[in-house]
């Protein structure tokens, strides 16, 4: 069953309304998707965790069926700081003042910013296939540019990428349904064929190249660090470790209590290796969540 036992809601968190599925019982854990997914990417992991935890899976602002607020010249409405504020407001609306937060890909940036900006709320951080954005950008070399060139394509505004992507979304996003339930596949397809969602997703990247980087730089300059225990997971068959070496070593510049390991998976680990992902998150939370 697709998210069996979960409730589907639309929650007004102030500036935006978020589509969210939530279910289970126990200590709360917030699961944040990456690009170009929606909350449905967690459809195999969430029920496993819900056996012992209260699990919350939203669409980030700009993605899926959550609000797409108007942007500005600095892409501030799509900053990870704004998204992190959404997450805290959402969890409070669901009666969770403290919670663990896990994020994959772009969701890892939101999870990190949630832990940095809201240390009283975040009890544990799980970062999957991601680093603080400044760490990506400062390590940018010819190989990074060749492998992750879409960051620059998405990020520029003189010749916006929306027109090219929305001309043939299926050709651009070459995802298959091999590891996705029919409902998750339909949700993904609907999202990428919505021009407003494509624009929202690209605004996320535009914020990443500017305001998000500045927020990271400000934190580093001020000596601010993640206060909660941190788990780093990365896909063994993707390129994060190939590009940067050991991700745990990098994360230790940002948090004091960091552990991590690879997951035998391609990039979309929640879909490809759900038991391993749920097992790693559950074991970590059992050790660290109060």
């Amino acid at each position: 069953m697709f998210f069996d036992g979960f409730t589907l809601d639309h929650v007004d968190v102030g500036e935006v309304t978020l589509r969210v599925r939530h279910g289970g019982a126990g200590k709360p854990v917030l699961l944040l998707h990456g690009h170009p997914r929606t909350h449905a990417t967690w459809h195999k992991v969430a029920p496993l965790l819900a056996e012992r935890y209260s699990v919350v899976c939203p669409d980030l602002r700009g993605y899926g069926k959550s609000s797409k607020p108007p942007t500005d010249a600095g892409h501030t409405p799509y900053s990870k700081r704004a998204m992190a504020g959404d997450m805290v407001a959402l969890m409070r609306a669901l009666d969770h003042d403290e919670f663990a937060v896990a994020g994959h890909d772009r969701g890892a940036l939101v999870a990190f910013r949630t832990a940095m900006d809201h240390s009283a709320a975040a009890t544990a951080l799980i970062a999957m296939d991601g680093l603080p954005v400044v760490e990506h950008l400062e390590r940018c070399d010819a190989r990074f540019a060749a492998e992750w060139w879409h960051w620059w394509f998405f990020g520029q505004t003189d010749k916006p990428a929306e027109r090219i992507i929305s001309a043939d979304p299926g050709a651009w996003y070459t995802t298959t349904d091999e590891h996705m339930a029919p409902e998750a596949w339909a949700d993904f397809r609907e999202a990428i064929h919505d021009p407003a969602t494509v624009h929202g997703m690209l605004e996320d990247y535009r914020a990443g190249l500017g305001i998000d980087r500045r927020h990271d730089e400000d934190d580093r300059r001020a000596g601010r660090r993640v206060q909660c225990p941190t788990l780093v997971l990365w896909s063994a068959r993707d390129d994060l470790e190939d590009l940067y070496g050991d991700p745990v070593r990098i994360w230790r510049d940002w948090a004091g209590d960091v552990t991590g390991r690879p997951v035998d998976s391609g990039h979309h680990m929640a879909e490809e290796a759900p038991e391993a992902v749920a097992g790693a998150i559950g074991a970590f939370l059992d050790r660290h969540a109060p």
Side-chain angles (χ1 to χ4, degrees):
M1 295 286 290
F2 185 69
F3 281 102
D4 188 27
F6 278 65
T7 298
L8 177 63
D9 276 330
H10 291 78
V11 179
D12 184 343
V13 296
E15 185 176 320
V16 297
T17 297
L18 303 178
R19 180 177 65 158
V20 57
R21 289 185 198 265
H22 53 98
K27 301 170 186 175
V29 57
L30 175 65
L31 303 180
L32 306 180
H33 64 83
H35 172 270
R37 296 303 204 250
T38 71
H39 78 278
T41 194
W42 300 106
H43 68 282
K44 298 177 184 177
V45 170
L48 296 175
L49 289 175
E51 295 173 4
R52 292 188 294 137
Y53 301 97
S54 294
V55 182
V56 180
C57 305
D59 291 345
L60 298 172
R61 65 163 66 191
Y63 286 79
K65 288 187 169 62
S66 288
S67 298
K68 287 88 177 169
T71 193
D72 60 23
H75 313 289
T76 307
Y78 291 86
S79 70
K80 305 313 157 292
R81 176 157 288 162
M83 293 183 181
D86 294 343
M87 297 304 108
V88 173
L90 170 65
M91 294 302 276
R92 286 176 179 163
L94 297 175
D95 296 323
H96 303 306
D97 291 330
E98 296 182 343
F99 54 90
V101 56
H104 177 257
D105 185 75
R106 304 301 291 185
L109 304 183
V110 182
F112 165 63
R113 182 49 51 194
T114 302
M116 286 291 283
D117 286 2
H118 304 278
S119 58
T123 60
L125 168 65
I126 301 99
M128 303 163 57
D129 279 339
L131 305 171
V133 72
V134 69
E135 297 287 357
H136 287 289
L137 296 176
E138 288 182 347
R139 286 168 169 76
C140 182
D141 57 14
R143 184 180 176 193
F144 178 95
E147 296 289 336
W148 290 20
W149 63 274
H150 63 281
W151 278 36
W152 325 118
F153 177 56
F154 292 172
Q156 55 79 41
T157 55
D158 289 341
K159 297 180 179 178
E162 285 91 336
R163 181 175 179 181
I164 295 171
I165 294 171
S166 291
D168 192 348
W172 175 262
Y173 291 113
T174 56
T175 300
T176 72
D177 62 354
E178 180 181 1
H179 300 289
M180 301 173 74
E183 298 91 339
W185 174 245
D187 200 60
F188 164 75
R189 294 282 297 173
E190 183 176 357
I192 65 171
H193 282 82
D194 178 5
T197 300
V198 172
H199 174 65
M201 293 192 295
L202 301 194
E203 281 295 302
D204 170 11
Y205 280 82
R206 291 164 185 151
L209 297 181
I211 190 169
D212 292 336
R213 178 177 187 166
R214 292 193 293 275
H215 289 158
D216 286 1
E217 291 171 337
D218 289 345
D219 284 336
R220 185 167 56 188
R221 192 160 41 245
R224 288 188 287 268
R225 290 159 63 82
V226 172
Q227 299 301 305
C228 59
T230 300
L231 174 66
V232 182
L233 301 175
W234 62 95
S235 304
R237 287 181 267 123
D238 200 22
D239 56 3
L240 190 73
E241 189 173 15
D242 292 340
L243 286 170
Y244 304 126
D246 182 6
V248 172
R249 177 183 56 80
I250 298 171
W251 273 102
R252 283 181 176 149
D253 288 337
W254 294 90
D257 181 357
V258 184
T259 56
R261 64 177 181 82
V263 174
D264 184 15
S265 170
H267 179 59
H268 293 287
M269 63 172 78
E271 297 164 6
E272 298 177 38
E275 291 84 3
V277 170
I281 293 174
F284 175 71
L285 295 183
D286 286 346
R287 291 194 304 271
H288 293 291

